[in-house]
Amino acid sequence: CETISEIGDYAFRGTAIKTISFDKNINSVGASSFLDAKNLESFEVVGKNKDFTAIDGVLFNKKATTLVCFPAAKLAGEKYQVPESVKEIAPKAFYGASVGVVAFAENGSSLERIGESAFENSSVTRVDIIGNLSKIETATFRNADKLVSVVIPDGVTYIAAESFLGCSALAEIKLPESVKEIANSAFK
């Protein structure tokens, strides 16, 4: 429909939809628009959309500097390589995703921010964060109960509340010396 310009929060929550196609008029997507859409496999951006693009079925802003949403059913149990251009993982971007491993470019990751709840309720088992982060946001990995290992990059000084709350399988976490503060219930 060419008259829709915005997809609001929870618009497709819990639906069985498998593919979402954006036309040129979509210019805004809420952080919770696709929450619990467990069958979602891919995004498509058709036409000359000035705000979004899809790369291998994953939704990004037009310049591919922000990973907006990773489809929950994509790459179940497999590895996803985040493009080097990504500076930000949006809030709730991997929420409920079934992907197994998320990897960042070892030489050249430009990652600066991972949004709140970015990996919440996901099936991710391992994340080696590489980039220029200064903090781990609230609830970043909350209830990612399959998460076994995470590497926090040097430069992170703060780990927010509930960042790893409910990560019952977490057996290994590498904290850099730069960490100065770990908030309440960060690893509860």
Side-chain angles (χ1 to χ4, degrees), residues 89-116:
I89 305 292
K92 300 181 181 174
F94 285 86
Y95 187 100
S98 59
V99 64
V101 176
V102 176
F104 296 90
E106 289 186 36
N107 299 328
S109 174
S110 56
L111 188 67
E112 296 172 357
R113 181 173 187 269
I114 299 176
E116 289 187 14

Side-chain angles (χ1 to χ4, degrees), residues 61-81:
N61 69 340
K62 187 64 174 183
K63 293 182 179 181
T65 56
T66 300
L67 192 155
V68 176
C69 190
F70 188 90
K74 183 175 183 66
L75 297 174
E78 296 180 34
K79 180 179 179 178
Y80 175 69
Q81 180 74 44

Side-chain angles (χ1 to χ4, degrees), residues 133-155:
L133 299 177
S134 62
K135 72 180 195 173
I136 303 297
E137 300 279 353
T138 301
T140 299
F141 295 94
R142 182 171 47 203
N143 295 326
D145 60 2
K146 292 181 174 73
L147 183 64
V148 174
S149 174
V150 66
V151 175
I152 307 291
D154 193 37

Side-chain angles (χ1 to χ4, degrees), residues 38 72 75-78 94 96-102 119-127 140-150 163-173 188:
K38 296 179 193 288
L75 297 174
E78 296 180 34
F94 285 86
S98 59
V99 64
V101 176
V102 176
F119 293 91
E120 186 173 355
N121 291 336
S122 71
S123 295
V124 68
T125 60
R126 180 178 177 88
V127 178
T140 299
F141 295 94
R142 182 171 47 203
N143 295 326
D145 60 2
K146 292 181 174 73
L147 183 64
V148 174
S149 174
V150 66
S163 295
F164 297 91
L165 179 75
C167 294
S168 55
L170 189 59
E172 178 184 18
I173 184 163
K188 186 176 180 183

Side-chain angles (χ1 to χ4, degrees), residues 20-98:
I20 299 277
S21 293
F22 286 19
D23 69 12
K24 65 182 180 182
N25 296 317
I26 300 292
N27 60 30
S28 177
V29 176
S32 302
S33 298
F34 305 101
L35 232 54
D36 298 323
K38 296 179 193 288
N39 296 323
L40 186 59
E41 296 173 349
S42 70
F43 290 94
E44 296 173 352
V45 178
V46 295
K48 295 185 179 186
N49 187 298
K50 62 182 172 82
D51 297 296
F52 296 101
T53 190
I55 301 171
D56 296 327
V58 179
L59 186 64
F60 294 88
N61 69 340
K62 187 64 174 183
K63 293 182 179 181
T65 56
T66 300
L67 192 155
V68 176
C69 190
F70 188 90
K74 183 175 183 66
L75 297 174
E78 296 180 34
K79 180 179 179 178
Y80 175 69
Q81 180 74 44
V82 176
E84 288 181 25
S85 62
V86 172
K87 293 182 178 186
E88 177 181 4
I89 305 292
K92 300 181 181 174
F94 285 86
Y95 187 100
S98 59

